[in-house]
Amino acid sequence: MPSDHDFTWRDGERTVVFREGALAGAAELLTDGIWERFELVTTPRALGGAPLALAERASAVHEVSRGPVPDTAAALIDAVSNPTLVALGGGRVIDTAKAIAAVRGGRVCALPTTLSGAEMTAIHRLPAGHEHEARHLVRPALVIADPLELTTLDEQRLRASAMNSLGHGAEALYTPLANPVATLEALHGAQRLAAALDRPTGEDRAGLALGSLLCAAALDSAGYAVHHVVCQTLVRVLETPHAETNATMLPLTMDAMRSRAPDAIESLAVALGTDGAGIRERIEALGGGPRKLSDLGADHGRLRRALDAILSRKELRNTPDPPGRQELDELLEAAW
């Protein structure tokens, strides 16, 4: 009987292969059907840890540069001949492949190397200058998830990345599209993340990886609200690192949601091993301690622009009783 350390999950047209050592055998998994011919989208760091056979099988290898996904995707889109893409890397790499495939009508196989969750969602931006050419957003059709590869970051960065994952599950609990299946995924994912983070992070890599996948699947189903609107905007306007921004904001945003979605936050708190009143402190502890935006290299002078951008986002309305300018201003200052 398959365990939660080794399974294949068929979800409609998507297949998720979850297994320790899966990356080493990825080239063999890409030998039939549409995956016989593909182009590889990756970074030098990710490629350096992959089996040589993967690059040898690819008809082309494309390096994703640093920068926002619209720019990285625009820089590569004309170089891609075959939009059947294998994306090896973190969220930026996978989202770049999804963005290109959305415009070119292709498919994506994701080989994640972080806890970004991008491999499980059809949530991504589009190549700059090609936004109106997109046929649809793209969810990877094949995910090859190797827990050992998803959890290679150092302790503090891994905990920050896990808080990004936890945020995915948390938001799925209270949006207008919240549903029983997404709730089950989110709460079990949160429980697995918390249990893994209560131990030295190297001891339960499968728990971290599975928790991340489940929370991302919940987000893909139910969408997102205030936490993601705030964090996505801060990353773009303040140019702060993605995972660390999420880890900084999540204790505050979940505390702010207690009065808006009390049942959802209480259920999340129980999954994390606390109660609603203790959720801020519990998330801070799981994330490696309290964090501040001012420690992330941000310019305080840009907070006003970030606030305006947050208020302009339509997804903010997915939040029960959406916060207004004053409350959001206080939230950002508290995080500073």
Side-chain angles (χ1 to χ4, degrees):
M1 178 178 177
S3 72
D4 56 6
H5 287 226
D6 183 350
F7 60 85
T8 298
W9 170 17
R10 297 196 185 278
D11 176 25
E13 294 185 354
R14 172 173 63 186
T15 298
V16 179
V17 177
F18 186 93
R19 184 172 69 245
E20 291 187 6
L23 180 59
E28 287 70 34
L29 292 171
L30 296 167
T31 55
D32 59 7
I34 64 167
W35 305 110
E36 289 182 358
R37 293 183 63 254
F38 64 86
E39 298 188 16
L40 183 62
V41 178
T42 188
T43 63
R45 177 182 176 275
L47 191 58
L52 184 60
L54 188 63
E56 291 176 338
R57 280 278 325 283
S59 57
V61 178
H62 305 283
E63 181 180 333
V64 178
S65 61
R66 294 190 176 275
V69 167
D71 297 339
T72 60
L76 289 181
I77 192 167
D78 290 334
V80 170
S81 299
N82 173 15
T84 297
L85 301 175
V86 172
L88 169 67
R92 178 171 56 90
V93 171
I94 296 171
D95 280 349
T96 295
K98 287 154 61 175
I100 294 170
V103 171
R104 297 289 303 280
R107 287 193 172 211
V108 173
C109 166
L111 280 67
T113 60
T114 69
L115 300 177
S116 76
E119 68 277 5
M120 298 298 292
T121 75
I123 299 170
H124 59 85
R125 301 178 76 187
L126 294 167
H130 298 268
E131 293 86 354
H132 300 297
E133 301 171 34
R135 307 178 188 189
H136 52 77
L137 296 179
V138 171
R139 178 187 295 107
L142 176 61
V143 178
I144 301 174
D146 184 336
L148 299 179
E149 300 299 326
L150 269 70
T151 54
T152 60
L153 295 175
D154 63 72
E155 175 86 13
Q156 281 299 99
R157 293 173 66 203
L158 187 59
R159 286 184 177 274
S161 188
M163 292 305 96
N164 175 45
S165 296
L166 180 59
H168 294 158
E171 293 252 270
L173 298 173
Y174 50 69
T175 70
L177 292 177
N179 60 80
V181 174
T183 295
L184 286 170
E185 290 173 327
L187 293 178
H188 187 65
Q191 186 177 38
R192 295 301 297 259
L193 288 168
L197 291 170
D198 278 337
R199 305 164 66 182
T201 52
E203 289 189 5
D204 189 9
R205 295 184 184 277
L208 284 174
L210 180 56
S212 175
L213 260 67
L214 289 172
C215 286
L219 179 79
D220 187 56
S221 172
Y224 59 87
V226 60
H227 173 74
H228 281 78
V229 170
V230 168
C231 291
Q232 289 172 355
T233 307
L234 291 177
V235 168
R236 293 169 192 169
V237 176
L238 301 186
E239 300 180 357
T240 50
H242 182 266
E244 286 78 4
T245 301
N246 276 270
T248 300
M249 298 306 306
L250 189 63
L252 298 171
T253 54
M254 292 304 99
D255 197 45
M257 288 304 303
R258 286 176 55 205
S259 61
R260 292 179 163 85
D263 291 343
I265 298 304
E266 187 66 32
S267 65
L268 176 64
V270 170
L272 298 179
T274 186
D275 57 22
I279 196 163
R280 175 175 175 174
E281 290 76 15
R282 177 61 169 151
I283 293 174
E284 286 180 343
L286 291 171
R291 298 171 186 254
K292 299 178 181 178
L293 289 176
S294 56
D295 294 333
L296 303 181
D299 177 0
H300 187 273
R302 296 187 184 183
L303 278 183
R304 181 66 56 186
R305 178 151 49 103
L307 178 59
D308 291 340
I310 289 167
L311 288 165
S312 72
R313 294 279 300 276
K314 64 180 181 180
E315 297 92 346
L316 188 62
R317 296 195 293 271
N318 291 338
T319 313
D321 185 21
R325 177 176 291 272
Q326 180 176 342
E327 184 178 359
L328 287 168
D329 186 40
E330 292 171 354
L331 184 73
L332 295 180
E333 289 295 342
W336 189 259

